[in-house]
Amino acid sequence: MPQSDTVDKILDAAELLFAEKGFSETSLRMITSKANVNLAAVNYHFGSKNALIQAVFGRFLGPLSRLMEQGSKDNNWGVDSNIPKLEDILRLYTQSLLKIPTSHDNGVAIFMRLMGLAYTQSQGHLRKYLEQQYAKTFRLFMYLVKLSTPELSAEERFWRIQFAMGSIAFTMSSIQPLTEIFENSKSAVAKPDKVVEYLVPYLVSGLTAKSVDE
Amino acid sequence: MPQSDTVDKILDAAELLFAEKGFSETSLRMITSKANVNLAAVNYHFGSKNALIQAVFGRFLGPLSRLMEQGSKDNNWGVDSNIPKLEDILRLYTQSLLKIPTSHDNGVAIFMRLMGLAYTQSQGHLRKYLEQQYAKTFRLFMYLVKLSTPELSAEERFWRIQFAMGSIAFTMSSIQPLTEIFENSKSAVAKPDKVVEYLVPYLVSGLTAKSVDE
DNA sequence: TGTACATCAGTGAACGCGCGTTCACTGATGTAC
DNA sequence: TGTACATCAGTGAACGCGCGTTCACTGATGTAC
């Protein structure tokens, strides 16, 4: 045991409970008792519940955004009129998701669920934090999609990206009770990499559909 | 003024506040003070906060599910090998959404936001209520989609419908701060019927994409 | 090497607060005879 | 028509509870001289 793993124990427990119940519905008492640490330890190490929520996101979004930006750089996308194919962008981004190091078995499903919650639960502080921290990654994504779908109007592209975001954030977040995800699910169906296989062609086809503007 | 409009005043206020903040984050005191009614009136008329949440959904899902089932019947879908086109199914369903009578100007955006919240916030009682009340409507939809996409495997169809649900539920629910939806938005972009115009071809194209199984 | 002090992770108990719900009560309207 | 009672919408105040946060404190480890 390292000299202090209290911080990680809190993050691990909080991640699971937030994903299962949501932010407001998870109390610090639930988190600290699951993590086997003192109630006051959260405020000692993180300062507040809101700061803990942000730390949970930072722990996986940091690596994720680095993977995505590195992948884009490795492919020289956007450099010297090197235009990426939409499918390759989506595949890089979804594959990056699967590569994040996680502390639980179903880490990816939990991350997707958390991203879905971040989108829909009105945690003003969290929205602000995510915008500040990851605006760069998001703008890069928008730029690459723009390069690969020149036929779309800016407005239609905007909406289609929103639709696609919805598909992704929702997918594993709310289909079935999370208990089924946590327990070793009987059906192979819920395996994240399998779902990604289904997701990419769906997204490509939706994003490149014939425009209604035409 | 009718002899008692307290019930409606509560539902109107609750609908707006739930859409804006979420269920757990909205207190009965916020609702009753916005509605200008007594705090105890919620428990008097509805019995509990959970029952109020369900009533808010019932008020618009009732008409919606009737519109959808009637539309399907009018088209004779599924009768005498009368197979609907996927685009027509989606168009009927999204048009039904736009037809629900609402008490506010942005009623449809609010409904979509609420559906998104119902999906993602872990309100066990709400999930149970929706399943009980609207299982029939949902099964009809699944059946029609199955008729119109015979080329998909059951598994891939299942996932694609989940993706599509995600797009719909998310779309207007979380794109921009709701304040912008409530205020007379400067951009015509946020108009629900305009967005539906964009949504349908996206969904059709995604749902009918070439299967990865092939 | 020994002593004094500083730092820091962690703790147990309590704080005030806002929450959903309950309860005794009011006052208006309807009903029976 | 008048009186007695029942029904029902609504109310004001209080209830106990769980919440996030705070605070004084402990004890182990590191540092200075």
Side-chain angles (χ1 to χ4, degrees), chain A residues 26 51 98 110 116 142 187 202:
Chain A
T26 302
L98 297 178
I110 289 163
M142 292 288 280
S187 62
Y202 170 90

Side-chain angles (χ1 to χ4, degrees), chain A residues 43-191:
Chain A
N43 278 274
Y44 176 73
H45 286 288
F46 297 93
S48 68
K49 184 182 179 182
N50 280 355
L52 169 62
I53 294 174
Q54 293 170 17
V56 166
F57 278 84
R59 192 166 63 151
F60 66 86
L61 280 180
L64 179 62
S65 101
R66 275 188 293 277
L67 279 168
M68 288 176 169
E69 298 194 10
Q70 190 57 49
S72 171
K73 201 174 281 176
D74 291 347
N75 285 302
N76 284 313
W77 285 341
V79 185
D80 295 337
S81 66
N82 189 342
I83 293 177
K85 277 174 61 186
L86 180 62
E87 178 168 356
D88 293 334
I89 301 171
L90 294 173
R91 210 164 278 282
L92 166 67
Y93 276 49
T94 49
Q95 289 302 321
S96 298
L97 246 179
L98 297 178
K99 269 191 219 149
I100 310 166
T102 71
S103 47
H104 314 98
D105 278 352
N106 278 295
V108 184
I110 289 163
F111 296 164
M112 291 179 90
R113 166 85 178 159
L114 286 172
M115 287 308 296
L117 291 179
Y119 242 93
T120 52
Q121 303 214 340
S122 66
Q123 296 278 326
H125 69 96
L126 183 56
R127 202 170 297 228
K128 226 171 269 175
Y129 168 82
L130 294 177
E131 276 168 15
Q132 276 176 18
Q133 295 287 311
Y134 304 104
K136 199 180 140 216
T137 306
F138 185 71
R139 275 204 305 273
L140 172 63
F141 175 71
M142 292 288 280
Y143 174 67
L144 293 175
V145 172
K146 185 178 175 185
L147 283 182
S148 67
T149 57
E151 74 280 8
L152 291 182
S153 69
E155 187 180 336
E156 184 147 27
R157 185 185 303 111
F158 169 80
W159 280 106
R160 288 189 177 182
I161 289 178
Q162 300 301 335
F163 301 153
M165 294 285 202
S167 301
I168 297 169
F170 244 77
T171 294
M172 252 167 303
S173 101
S174 37
I175 310 155
Q176 61 210 97
L178 261 190
T179 49
E180 275 202 48
I181 298 183
F182 291 140
E183 296 163 9
N184 279 331
S185 174
K186 314 110 212 167
S187 62
V189 160
K191 282 243 178 101

Side-chain angles (χ1 to χ4, degrees), chain B residues 54-212:
Chain B
Q54 293 169 17
V56 166
F57 278 83
R59 192 166 62 151
F60 67 85
L61 280 180
L64 179 62
S65 99
R66 274 188 294 277
L67 278 168
M68 288 175 169
E69 298 194 9
Q70 190 56 49
S72 171
K73 201 173 284 177
D74 291 347
N75 286 301
N76 283 311
W77 285 341
V79 185
D80 296 337
S81 66
N82 190 342
I83 293 177
K85 278 175 59 186
L86 180 62
E87 180 168 354
D88 294 333
I89 301 171
L90 294 173
R91 211 164 276 283
L92 165 66
Y93 275 49
T94 49
Q95 290 302 322
S96 299
L97 246 178
L98 297 178
K99 269 191 220 152
I100 311 167
T102 72
S103 47
H104 314 95
D105 277 353
N106 278 294
V108 183
I110 290 164
F111 295 164
M112 292 179 89
R113 166 86 178 158
L114 286 173
M115 287 308 295
L117 291 179
Y119 242 95
T120 52
Q121 302 214 340
S122 67
Q123 297 277 327
H125 69 95
L126 183 55
R127 203 169 297 228
K128 226 170 273 176
Y129 169 80
L130 294 177
E131 276 167 14
Q132 275 176 16
Q133 295 288 311
Y134 304 104
K136 199 181 140 215
T137 306
F138 186 71
R139 275 203 306 272
L140 173 63
F141 175 72
M142 292 288 280
Y143 174 66
L144 293 175
V145 172
K146 186 178 173 185
L147 282 182
S148 67
T149 57
E151 74 280 8
L152 292 181
S153 70
E155 188 179 337
E156 185 147 26
R157 186 184 303 113
F158 169 79
W159 281 107
R160 289 190 178 181
I161 288 178
Q162 300 301 335
F163 301 153
M165 295 285 205
S167 301
I168 298 170
F170 245 76
T171 295
M172 252 167 304
S173 104
S174 39
I175 309 153
Q176 61 211 94
L178 260 192
T179 49
E180 275 200 50
I181 298 184
F182 291 140
E183 296 163 9
N184 279 332
S185 176
K186 314 108 212 167
S187 62
V189 162
K191 281 245 177 98
D193 48 354
K194 191 78 186 286
V195 175
V196 167
E197 278 304 299
Y198 287 135
L199 188 52
V200 170
Y202 170 89
L203 293 178
V204 170
S205 180
L207 286 169
T208 58
K210 195 168 174 313
S211 167
V212 291

Side-chain angles (χ1 to χ4, degrees), chain B residues 4 6 29 38-40 44-45:
Chain B
S4 161
T6 302
R29 282 164 181 79
N38 187 276
L39 167 62
Y44 176 73
H45 286 288

